[in-house]
Amino acid sequence: MAESGGHGVGGAAGVMGGSAPYARRGPSPTALGRWLKGERLGEDAAIALAAGRAAARARARMIGRRVLLSLPALVGVVIVSFVLTRALPGDPAAYFAGPAADAQSIAEIRAQLGLDRSLPEQFLVYVGDLLGGDLGQSISTGQPVLEELARRLPASLELTLSALILSTLVAVPLGVAAAARQGTWVDHACRAVVTAGVSLPTFFTGIALVYVFYYVLGWAPAPLGRLDLLYFPPEPVTGFYTVDAVLAGELETLRGALAQLALPAVTLALFTMAPLARMARAAMLEALGSDYVRTARAAGLSPTRVLYGVAFSNAMLPVVTTLGMVFSFTLGANVLVEKVFAWPGVGSYAVEALVVSDYAAVQGFVLAMAVLFVALNLLIDVIYTLIDPRTRQGA
Amino acid sequence: MTAATPARPTGLRAFLAHGAYVLRDNPVTLIAFALFLFIVFCAVFGPLLAPYDPLESNAARALQPPSADHWFGTDSLGRDVFSRVLVATRLDLAISVAAVALSFCAGSAIGAAAGYWGGWVDAVTGRVVDTIMAFPLFVLAMGIVAALGNTVENIVYATAIINLPFYARVARAEVAIRREAGFAQAARLAGNSDLRVLALHIFPNALPPMMVQLSLNMGWAILNAAGLSFIGLGVRPPTPEWGIMVAEGANFIVSGEWWLAIFPGLALMLAVFTFNLLGDGLRDLVDPRRRT
């Protein structure tokens, strides 16, 4: 109880501004009361069951509505990428026909690409192609863009996911500790990480890490791709080298893959740590200053239980929402990190395509990343609905 | 203007006094402000101060580590890295200032209109902003530069477009809460047109939070522009620019020539760091409640 003094002001402000949405935060008073008295909430089985069913139904409705809400974003993404593919510098037909083409072959290409039709017609054809999984052909490699993206996506996802897991594991405890011990060295460390993290250019961090850990210390392998030439890639199951190596039982390959993954993942994690730690700290501070935490404290719950049981579960909601924004940044930063570490993912594919003006490949990449991002935001909102303590009560 | 004029002097004096108080109270903001002046100084006078011609190559002194002659060493063509880093300040700053200025103007116009008139204006602009936000922003910038053509101007446009949503959202929110405020209604009753009320009465009051957004955004804009040139977009090789210098230096890092990439990278970091600190400081100045 000793540490509650500092949060009294925040609690009072919460009472005065006690509008409905805030009042509904946290467990409802009656449920909390019963829980505090040590009653099992499921004691009255019939009521609990009915409430559970209603909650599940409400949750399913919410998720359904969220899925519908992501459709306009998807339509917008397709329109923008259509505009981007039509906005090529100069005449796209002349570009695709090549420099040696005469007027007739340009006209043929134009008809072949459908560029002689009206814009709405072209848009319909474009949407039809997309629905058929056709993102066009890469000029430089002659391969369908979708096929190459699909082949390279696991490498990027493996990198992005390991970075996000790593940064969540460091940033969330750091932010929570900083909020719980406001003003101590943990708090200052958290602030330093946050301020430095947002100022670090990812590509520069990557290069600095390569210099220190590869050139000076010699701990890391050369920053060239996912696996050293000494190893054979494991049998592809998931496309993630680390997971596949475990599945195939090749521990030596796993070690090699992890060694290659370490530096790029740390680079990306350093970049994503700042917003996560900042949000975890802010959300935790807000939760600790709230009415329900005051109530829980007043009811005599142990500080540990207040911190981790009550405050933490509520503070995680804004953090999960931040993950969406962080993912947007990560997908962009991925491109830079993949270039530094010669990582054979979709990002370096796009960079290679950009260098040789391979527009179909670049726009295919942009569209694929946008669709991935929309899908991820949807997933994050669904997770939010599932972990939100308010929806668990069956309001 | 009429309504605001009498309150001005005291308001300004109070603001300056508050500013002096915040600066005294928070030395970090003071440092940030000093760094900001230093960076602007480098941008303005950099080409005059550079000890060597940033483009002049000399094979005889290629790839030399930092020394008294060449503070930051020399690159593979024997060009002085210190001069290049110094001269690059102007271009890097110009790209991001131009981009942020563009997106500030366009974003605040769009956002203010949406916040003031609401209705279909709000619905349409809201959709546009949501669509931009549906893309991973750096990736969208890559796509825009690829579509418009690989030039420095297009880097500016792309960076401006991906920053637009932030300004539009702040402007919309700040205008919407003041739309029916007493001073706005008084101005309308006095016979001012909607456009005049919005531009001269409501918008100036929404400026402080917009300025904070601007400063916080500036660092991010610099990072994005440098990232784009790092992957080979926009700025062409002989031109000194931090992103492209880091990219060129990256090829030498595995053989131990660290100074090629580290110094331009540090310069970039310092610039971004300065603007982030300044943004936090400005936020304290404008809104003491949101201090963290």
Side-chain angles (χ1 to χ4, degrees):
Chain A
M1 285 312 291
E3 58 184 328
S4 70
H7 305 295
V9 179
V15 173
M16 288 194 287
S19 53
Y22 289 104
R24 267 175 46 213
R25 276 216 168 178
S28 68
T30 50
L32 181 68
R34 282 162 60 195
W35 177 52
L36 290 176
K37 273 185 257 159
E39 272 179 47
R40 290 262 144 248
L41 285 181
E43 211 178 57
D44 196 344
I47 294 174
L49 207 62
R53 274 207 208 107
R57 256 203 310 279
R59 212 179 290 159
R61 248 202 319 276
M62 254 178 193
I63 292 171
R65 199 167 49 219
R66 184 58 189 78
V67 171
L68 283 181
L69 274 178
S70 66
L71 286 180
L74 215 52
V75 172
V77 162
V78 171
I79 292 175
V80 170
S81 74
F82 172 74
V83 170
L84 285 181
T85 29
R86 300 298 125 155
L88 296 183
D91 181 0
Y95 168 76
F96 282 108
D102 55 10
Q104 205 209 329
S105 61
I106 290 179
E108 268 171 32
I109 297 270
R110 190 182 312 257
Q112 195 190 327
L113 291 173
L115 291 173
D116 52 349
R117 287 187 255 179
S118 70
L119 271 181
E121 261 183 280
Q122 286 188 36
F123 182 67
L124 287 181
V125 172
Y126 179 75
V127 173
D129 284 349
L130 289 185
L131 289 178
D134 182 8
L135 289 180
Q137 300 267 324
S138 157
I139 302 268
S140 49
T141 61
Q143 301 283 318
V145 171
L146 187 71
E147 220 167 86
E148 292 210 43
L149 285 177
R151 196 158 44 78
R152 283 163 163 264
L153 194 60
S156 296
L157 283 183
E158 183 175 31
L159 175 59
T160 310
L161 289 180
S162 27
L164 275 184
I165 291 170
L166 191 65
S167 78
T168 310
L169 286 182
V170 177
V172 171
L174 185 65
V176 169
R181 296 184 191 79
Q182 215 187 340
T184 62
W185 66 269
V186 188
D187 197 14
H188 294 306
C190 178
R191 185 169 304 161
V193 165
V194 167
T195 318
V198 288
S199 309
L200 284 173
T202 7
F203 50 94
F204 175 65
T205 337
I207 288 170
L209 287 177
V210 166
Y211 178 69
V212 173
F213 290 100
Y214 169 68
Y215 182 77
V216 177
L217 297 173
W219 292 355
L224 296 169
R226 298 175 76 186
L227 207 50
D228 201 275
L229 288 174
L230 292 171
Y231 304 101
F232 290 107
E235 191 71 25
V237 182
T238 57
F240 290 14
Y241 278 9
T242 47
V243 178
D244 286 351
V246 171
L247 289 179
E250 298 166 18
L251 288 182
E252 201 50 30
T253 312
L254 173 67
R255 214 186 57 80
L258 281 178
Q260 295 288 140
L261 184 62
L263 281 193
V266 167
T267 306
L268 213 47
L270 282 175
F271 174 74
T272 53
M273 221 156 25
L276 282 178
R278 184 181 212 146
M279 190 42 85
R281 179 177 176 276
M284 202 62 191
L285 276 181
E286 202 198 317
L288 286 175
S290 68
D291 293 348
Y292 56 84
V293 163
R294 197 189 45 178
T295 310
R297 280 205 181 104
L301 287 190
S302 72
T304 327
R305 196 150 178 196
V306 170
L307 197 59
Y308 297 106
V310 183
F312 183 75
S313 64
N314 281 283
M316 279 311 99
L317 293 174
V319 175
V320 169
T321 317
T322 318
L323 265 179
M325 200 64 225
V326 168
F327 217 95
S328 160
F329 291 145
T330 319
L331 288 177
N334 227 346
V335 176
L336 302 169
V337 174
E338 284 182 14
K339 184 178 191 290
V340 171
F341 291 92
W343 197 259
V346 286
S348 53
Y349 173 68
V351 171
E352 284 158 25
L354 267 176
V355 172
V356 294
S357 307
D358 188 347
Y359 296 115
V362 177
Q363 306 306 5
F365 164 74
V366 174
L367 179 66
M369 288 302 105
V371 170
L372 185 67
F373 183 47
V374 170
L376 251 151
N377 269 328
L378 179 63
L379 184 73
I380 283 170
D381 278 5
V382 170
I383 293 175
Y384 186 100
T385 316
L386 293 181
I387 67 167
D388 190 343
R390 281 169 290 177
T391 62
R392 221 179 285 151
Q393 296 295 323
Chain B
M1 262 310 114
T2 44
T5 317
R8 253 288 152 75
T10 49
L12 187 66
R13 209 176 303 143
F15 185 76
L16 286 180
H18 182 53
Y21 170 75
V22 170
L23 284 183
R24 258 199 316 277
D25 189 47
N26 189 352
V28 177
T29 307
L30 194 64
I31 294 171
F33 198 66
L35 281 175
F36 170 71
L37 290 181
F38 172 69
I39 289 171
V40 170
F41 178 80
C42 288
V44 174
F45 298 105
L48 294 175
L49 294 172
Y52 296 88
D53 180 348
L55 297 178
E56 181 201 318
S57 54
N58 180 353
R61 47 184 174 88
L63 286 178
Q64 283 176 359
S67 62
D69 276 351
H70 300 282
W71 290 357
F72 291 178
T74 58
D75 68 5
S76 56
L77 295 174
R79 295 174 297 196
D80 181 48
V81 176
F82 177 66
S83 303
R84 287 173 67 75
V85 168
L86 196 61
V87 170
T89 315
R90 185 184 287 182
L91 180 60
D92 273 275
L93 221 57
I95 292 176
S96 33
V97 166
V100 167
L102 261 181
S103 73
F104 178 82
C105 294
S108 50
I110 291 173
Y116 190 79
W117 281 289
W120 67 268
V121 183
D122 192 21
V124 170
T125 54
R127 276 281 151 272
V128 171
V129 167
D130 283 351
T131 304
I132 297 177
M133 292 300 283
F135 283 88
L137 293 175
F138 185 77
V139 172
L140 178 64
M142 284 170 67
I144 293 172
V145 177
L148 295 182
N150 192 352
T151 63
V152 176
E153 295 91 81
N154 290 336
I155 295 273
V156 172
Y157 295 138
T159 312
I161 290 174
I162 62 170
N163 280 313
L164 192 88
F166 302 108
Y167 295 103
R169 282 184 175 174
V170 175
R172 180 185 173 278
E174 296 294 333
V175 167
I177 53 170
R178 291 178 176 85
R179 182 173 52 187
E180 302 303 334
F183 69 88
Q185 287 183 335
R188 264 194 293 271
L189 271 179
N192 291 295
S193 67
D194 273 349
L195 203 60
R196 202 180 156 84
V197 173
L198 177 58
L200 297 181
H201 294 268
I202 298 179
F203 189 68
N205 283 292
L207 263 179
M210 296 286 292
M211 296 312 290
V212 173
Q213 182 67 38
L214 193 107
S215 174
L216 285 174
N217 209 226
M218 197 56 201
W220 197 66
I222 297 178
L223 271 187
N224 269 309
L228 287 174
S229 59
F230 178 77
I231 58 174
L233 291 177
V235 186
R236 299 289 177 186
T239 318
E241 193 275 339
W242 294 332
I244 206 163
M245 287 175 75
V246 175
E248 286 171 350
N251 302 321
F252 295 91
I253 206 88
V254 284
S255 51
E257 280 95 10
W258 53 272
W259 57 92
L260 295 184
I262 299 295
F263 286 119
L266 283 178
L268 181 58
M269 234 179 84
L270 185 74
V272 179
F273 188 63
T274 303
F275 281 106
N276 285 339
L277 280 185
L278 207 62
D280 286 342
L282 272 183
R283 182 173 46 194
D284 291 354
L285 207 65
V286 171
D287 182 4
R289 277 168 309 165
R290 259 190 274 168
R291 262 188 223 184
T292 47

